[in-house]
Amino acid sequence: MDAQTLAEAMKKYPCAKLEGGMYRTCPVRLSFPHLFVAQAGTNDDGTPGKAKYSVALLFPAGANIDVLRAGAKEKQDAKFGADYKGAKLHTPFRDQGDKGHLAGYEEGRVFISANSTQKPGVVAVVGGVRSAVTDPTLVYAGCWALVTLRPYDFTNAKKKGVSFGLGNVMKLFDDEPFSTRSNVEDDFGSVSVTSEVDPASLF
């Protein structure tokens, strides 16, 4: 996406607190979206976890996420107290640099992982009409979207703190898909190929 289009979208769709305790992000890029089929995971203690719908939300440089931080802090204070002095609490806000080896993650920018046992609604606007998305290939790692979230507190055997539950997703824009697959030319471009080589002799 070009810088001007992104800047206009960020201004038009800032992070916001919604009625009923939900929050909406500004435009974010989706990473590892599992929005149509729940994926089974592993709990912190190593036991099998419930199948969940999930996605990582990559915020662009300069994104103002103060309203999301305030929502998480409010939930944290309500559960653990504003002056909590125990073990370090889990925070949902992470530096993309922690996963800098992955496509799309950049040092100094924030990402949030959100999940839910309930299937999110996924919509897109086409021709001025907002419609449900039923084709999973249309909402891919690298596209831009608005996402609704709900902060919640948790305590388990390994850690305690605040995370965000996944609400619904509205796709905004297409962009270059994230991919860890290598390019075929990069893999084989240096291999000399002539009509005199018997492919069977290479194995």
Side-chain angles (χ1 to χ4, degrees), residues 1 6 28-32 56-63 69 93-112 142 144 175-178:
M1 184 194 309
L6 177 57
V28 294
R29 293 188 82 178
L30 305 185
S31 179
F32 297 104
L57 313 177
L58 278 56
F59 290 83
R69 292 188 184 279
F93 306 101
R94 297 181 58 186
D95 187 335
Q96 293 180 27
D98 293 346
K99 294 185 177 292
H101 61 290
L102 298 175
Y105 290 72
E106 298 189 34
E107 187 80 30
R109 300 183 183 184
V110 173
F111 80 96
I112 290 173
W144 291 84
D175 207 330
E176 189 71 22
F178 296 151

Side-chain angles (χ1 to χ4, degrees), residues 7-20:
E8 292 174 353
M10 295 292 288
K11 184 176 181 180
K12 186 175 182 179
Y13 306 112
C15 293
K17 183 177 182 179
L18 309 178
E19 294 184 5

Side-chain angles (χ1 to χ4, degrees), residues 63-104:
N64 185 341
I65 61 172
D66 288 348
V67 66
L68 301 180
R69 292 188 184 279
K73 183 65 162 55
E74 181 179 358
K75 181 63 65 173
Q76 174 184 302
D77 291 350
K79 176 64 176 182
F80 304 106
D83 299 319
Y84 179 77
K85 300 297 183 181
K88 184 178 180 181
L89 295 175
H90 169 84
T91 173
F93 306 101
R94 297 181 58 186
D95 187 335
Q96 293 180 27
D98 293 346
K99 294 185 177 292
H101 61 290
L102 298 175

